[in-house]
Amino acid sequence: MKSEFNYELKPGVKVRFIQNKQFKSVQMMVSFIHELKNERELASRTLLAGILESSSAAYPNQHAITLKLAELYGATFGANTEVEGNLSLLNFVYSFVAPEYLKAGQSLLDESVDFLNQIIFHPRMENGMFKPEVFERQRTNLKTYIQGIVDNKQSEALINVQRSYFDDPIQQNTPYGTENDYQELTNQDIVAAYDQMLRRDQVQITVMGDLVLDSLKRSLSKFEFRESVRETFHEICYSQAAKNQVKVQTKAEPVQQSKLDLIYHLPIDAHQNRMFYAAVVMNALLGGSPQSLLFQNVREKASMAYYAESSYSALRSMVLIQTGIQATNHDSVLALIKEQIAALQQGDFSAEQLAKIKIELINERQRMQDSPASSLEQAVLSELLARPLDSETQQNGIQAVTKQDVVAAASQLKLQTEFFLKGEMANGNH
């Protein structure tokens, strides 16, 4: 059994406690949430997360942090950033052994909150700046990481199709910013970003596990949040109007495998309960599963793609199709993809196919329920969207989708952008 409690620790600092005995550990996530204003913030918040994760005044290096976590019976900790629609989340993720698996009367709750408090509010500073070598090391690491993303041809095609599709520069890039941003960011910039985060960001503390509410409230009150006016968000879902012209772009590179990526506008977002589930099922039928039309017809039957898959983003109202193909098959693959979409729009799929896809989606959600990390992320997203996203709600939503719903969702797909990374071998053979 699980029960949920929601309360405000301070203005703009919300707590959601999901009390359950499902896992042997207690999961905790402190999310600083900010509505992104410019693309530079992607890099500055990612760099800030890296710096805060690697040291603090009390734990001056990675080794000291590791020792402390070992002392807390193998607690785990990490910091990361993610972009959800218009919002940036800077997360401190922590898990520790649930009290029932420790000696009677022992709990790691207070020490865990104290550890996180040190990491978040007492970073390792020198003359009002982050320790220069920590700043430089994290900056270099992230530049290398971004370089790795760009060097991966599948990621390169994805970034290009996004740049072509999105009007907003924030949405065009990787969620971590660009190499150029890291080049230009200074220690002062990151200190300013840190200060703004503490003062301005909305905070969501999500705790999941077998704890007593009163002792949790007592422990969490030790966090040193400032009293300040925190920003209010307008909308988590990003949307832009569909355009009547399809943007087509080709880039030739000396690679073996070509990439053809497409973005379709789909005006169904995460707030539209029934149609949201229709879009989820429609995408799984299209290319989100090994049983999908793209997988079966483009990859298997026609043998025209190394991979062919689709993904639906309910926070950005779009469907992305990614394929790896031979350059000479470009026209045939494009025609085949459009055929699969037309089939969905015309309801040209069997009741059996629909039932199988639903079972697969439901099984996937049940598996996610068994993962503490997935359950925690789901709880945070559900809070941001102000709607239930627990496993049961999702399973019921998927189950209720009819063939007509799938057709209605597919009929709203509108091709916007096509990006072709064309493989050309050095000797001129295509």
Side-chain angles (χ1 to χ4, degrees):
M1 271 306 290
K2 67 175 187 178
S3 27
E4 291 199 14
F5 305 92
N6 294 285
Y7 70 95
E8 214 168 28
L9 190 60
K10 280 188 175 171
V13 181
K14 288 195 218 156
V15 177
R16 181 176 194 171
F17 172 40
I18 301 158
Q19 189 179 45
N20 66 20
K21 291 178 183 283
Q22 193 183 349
F23 305 111
K24 289 182 176 177
S25 56
V26 175
Q27 313 299 313
M28 209 182 229
M29 179 136 95
V30 180
S31 306
F32 285 81
I33 306 164
H34 164 60
E35 195 168 325
L36 290 161
K37 301 291 187 284
N38 63 67
E39 66 267 39
R40 174 63 67 84
E41 288 183 319
L42 293 168
S44 62
R45 287 172 71 86
T46 303
L47 183 46
L48 176 60
I51 290 170
L52 296 175
E53 177 187 52
S54 63
S55 62
S56 73
Y59 311 108
N61 52 39
Q62 202 65 64
H63 181 62
I65 289 175
T66 305
L67 282 179
K68 183 63 189 171
L69 294 172
E71 202 182 291
L72 293 164
Y73 298 94
T76 63
F77 161 70
N80 62 48
T81 55
E82 54 185 327
V83 175
E84 300 284 10
N86 291 314
L87 305 181
S88 160
L89 277 68
L90 199 162
N91 303 316
F92 296 90
V93 191
Y94 183 88
S95 99
F96 62 94
V97 182
E100 110 177 63
Y101 298 97
L102 296 166
K103 287 202 291 271
Q106 192 181 10
S107 168
L108 299 173
L109 180 59
D110 274 347
E111 279 186 87
S112 295
V113 169
D114 185 55
F115 170 80
L116 279 178
N117 189 66
Q118 289 297 328
I119 292 277
I120 298 170
F121 299 102
H122 300 280
R124 193 177 176 199
M125 309 282 277
E126 211 174 69
N127 305 321
M129 292 287 134
F130 288 113
K131 196 103 167 104
E133 57 266 38
V134 175
F135 170 81
E136 279 309 336
R137 185 172 61 245
Q138 292 301 326
R139 183 163 75 151
T140 305
N141 289 351
L142 282 161
K143 277 198 312 204
T144 309
Y145 180 67
I146 296 287
Q147 190 61 60
I149 292 178
V150 177
D151 286 347
N152 174 314
K153 295 303 165 194
Q154 197 171 340
S155 305
E156 186 190 341
L158 173 62
I159 292 167
N160 276 292
V161 78
Q162 287 190 163
R163 284 198 179 136
S164 183
Y165 172 68
F166 286 113
D167 299 334
D168 182 349
I170 294 167
Q171 302 295 331
Q172 290 172 359
N173 288 306
T174 74
Y176 318 105
T178 66
E179 200 184 342
N180 198 35
D181 290 332
Y182 289 105
Q183 201 54 56
E184 291 171 11
L185 282 169
T186 64
N187 202 324
Q188 282 94 326
D189 292 334
I190 305 303
V191 170
Y194 173 63
D195 196 56
Q196 281 181 316
M197 175 191 98
L198 292 184
R199 210 180 47 241
R200 160 208 73 189
D201 284 20
Q202 281 272 350
V203 182
Q204 176 65 44
I205 301 174
T206 313
V207 182
M208 197 171 68
D210 188 15
L211 295 172
V212 177
L213 179 63
D214 285 347
S215 51
L216 178 68
K217 282 186 168 178
R218 207 169 36 248
S219 289
L220 294 182
S221 67
K222 294 176 181 170
F223 274 128
E224 295 172 54
F225 288 105
R226 302 178 188 176
E227 292 285 353
S228 68
V229 180
R230 297 180 183 275
E231 63 180 292
T232 46
F233 315 128
H234 304 292
E235 180 49 71
I236 176 175
C237 295
Y238 170 84
S239 67
Q240 62 183 44
K243 299 179 177 56
N244 292 322
Q245 199 81 36
V246 178
K247 275 194 202 167
V248 180
Q249 233 184 340
T250 301
K251 182 180 177 186
E253 283 201 16
V255 291
Q256 201 106 40
Q257 196 187 107
S258 301
K259 313 285 177 195
L260 173 63
D261 284 12
L262 312 171
I263 290 182
Y264 282 79
H265 182 265
L266 180 62
I268 299 171
D269 67 28
H271 295 304
Q272 292 157 260
N273 199 32
R274 182 164 181 159
M275 285 314 287
F276 161 74
Y277 289 110
V280 167
V281 174
M282 182 275 295
N283 171 68
L285 257 172
L286 172 61
S289 141
Q291 303 185 55
S292 66
L293 300 180
L294 288 179
F295 191 91
Q296 296 292 340
N297 299 334
V298 182
R299 184 176 181 264
E300 299 294 297
K301 277 189 201 151
S303 296
M304 283 215 183
Y306 302 103
Y307 61 88
E309 56 205 28
S310 72
S311 53
Y312 160 55
S313 170
L315 297 180
R316 308 208 282 182
S317 298
M318 59 173 253
V319 167
L320 164 74
I321 293 177
Q322 294 176 289
T323 66
I325 62 173
Q326 287 292 340
T328 47
N329 289 337
H330 171 279
D331 295 357
S332 316
V333 171
L334 189 56
L336 260 178
I337 291 171
K338 289 179 177 175
E339 252 173 57
Q340 310 316 306
I341 287 173
L344 287 175
Q345 291 170 337
Q346 286 149 21
D348 188 5
F349 54 92
S350 68
E352 189 192 3
Q353 275 173 297
L354 180 59
K356 276 185 176 170
I357 285 285
K358 284 187 185 181
I359 290 168
E360 195 177 316
L361 284 167
I362 286 169
N363 288 343
E364 203 177 276
R365 272 144 189 82
Q366 282 170 341
R367 276 197 303 278
M368 281 170 72
Q369 206 185 349
D370 295 335
S371 150
S374 301
S375 302
L376 196 60
E377 279 167 28
Q378 213 68 67
V380 175
L381 197 54
S382 135
E383 190 64 40
L384 292 175
L385 285 164
R387 54 169 286 193
L389 282 176
D390 57 276
S391 179
E392 196 181 330
T393 303
Q394 291 202 55
Q395 288 175 45
N396 292 340
I398 289 163
Q399 207 57 68
V401 174
T402 64
K403 185 167 186 169
Q404 286 78 6
D405 293 336
V406 172
V407 170
S411 300
Q412 296 179 61
L413 286 169
K414 188 172 184 183
L415 181 59
Q416 298 289 284
T417 305
E418 175 195 323
F419 176 77
F420 185 42
L421 185 67
K422 185 180 183 184
E424 293 190 338
M425 299 322 287
N427 62 7
N429 294 336
H430 294 197

